[in-house]
Amino acid sequence: MSSGKTTSQSQSQQGAANANANANENAKPALRKPTFIKVDQLKPGTSGHTLTVKVLSSTTVLKRGRSVSQNLRNTRIAECVIGDETGTIIFTARNDQGDVMKPGATVILRNAKIDMFKGTMRLAVDKWGRIEVTEPASFTVKEDNNLSLVEYELVNVVEEGS
């Protein structure tokens, strides 16, 4: 009889150990503090940026209704010129993002990425990022340094073998 108790005790201890291991695996990883960068630090093909910017202007460039299918949502795309004290860039606002990006507003863009459009940089926030309206910033926007006016060209570098 004593061996039966020992076996059930050891099984319950293993079950408790497995439950602790599962709890540790399911625990969320520690969130890292966001590193705020400036507009002039943006480079092509990069992502995960967090910036505080002012919205200078907003222009709707595409507005598409439900002409094709009932399941498709309305698609709205607005190009917003945003910037900080180091420069400006065009931000592509999709659907509801355009409602937040009003001229004069100060916003925090979290997990923003750089998209290339016709060889120029555009900033965008996809479903993994956030746009938060914040209190008005004290900086004045440097409007003569528009990073979206710089045209980039993809160059393939061929390394010669040894």
Side-chain angles (χ1 to χ4, degrees):
M1 265 210 185
S2 63
S3 66
K5 279 186 174 178
T6 310
T7 307
S8 65
Q9 285 175 343
S10 65
Q11 286 176 344
S12 66
Q13 287 172 347
Q14 285 178 342
N18 287 342
N20 287 341
N22 288 341
N24 290 341
E25 288 175 11
N26 293 337
K28 289 187 177 180
L31 296 175
R32 60 184 176 93
K33 290 279 184 200
T35 307
F36 284 83
I37 65 166
K38 299 295 180 190
V39 171
D40 67 345
Q41 295 173 298
L42 296 171
K43 301 281 181 258
T46 56
S47 62
H49 304 299
T50 303
L51 317 104
T52 302
V53 293
K54 281 185 182 177
V55 181
L56 300 177
S57 66
S58 178
T59 309
T60 302
V61 291
L62 176 69
K63 194 169 189 174
R64 200 173 276 163
R66 300 179 187 196
S67 59
V68 180
S69 168
Q70 289 295 110
N71 299 335
L72 292 177
R73 293 177 43 201
N74 291 338
T75 302
R76 291 181 299 152
I77 296 178
E79 288 187 343
C80 310
V81 178
I82 61 171
D84 62 14
E85 65 270 18
T86 62
T88 60
I89 191 166
I90 294 177
F91 177 83
T92 305
R94 301 181 192 288
N95 299 325
D96 296 339
Q97 293 176 349
D99 300 335
V100 178
M101 304 296 283
K102 297 291 180 208
T106 301
V107 294
I108 297 175
L109 304 177
R110 297 189 188 276
N111 203 16
K113 62 181 175 124
I114 296 291
D115 286 333
M116 297 304 288
F117 178 73
K118 295 183 180 176
T120 62
M121 290 195 303
R122 302 291 167 98
L123 196 62
V125 173
D126 58 11
K127 65 180 179 178
W128 305 110
R130 283 176 79 175
I131 301 175
E132 301 170 9
V133 178
T134 186
E135 64 274 356
S138 59
F139 58 79
T140 55
V141 178
K142 183 178 182 183
E143 296 186 43
D144 60 351
N145 183 20
N146 189 339
L147 297 184
S148 293
L149 295 178
V150 179
E151 199 165 313
Y152 291 86
E153 185 176 331
L154 181 64
V155 178
N156 292 325
V157 177
V158 179
E159 293 185 22
E160 297 192 20
S162 50

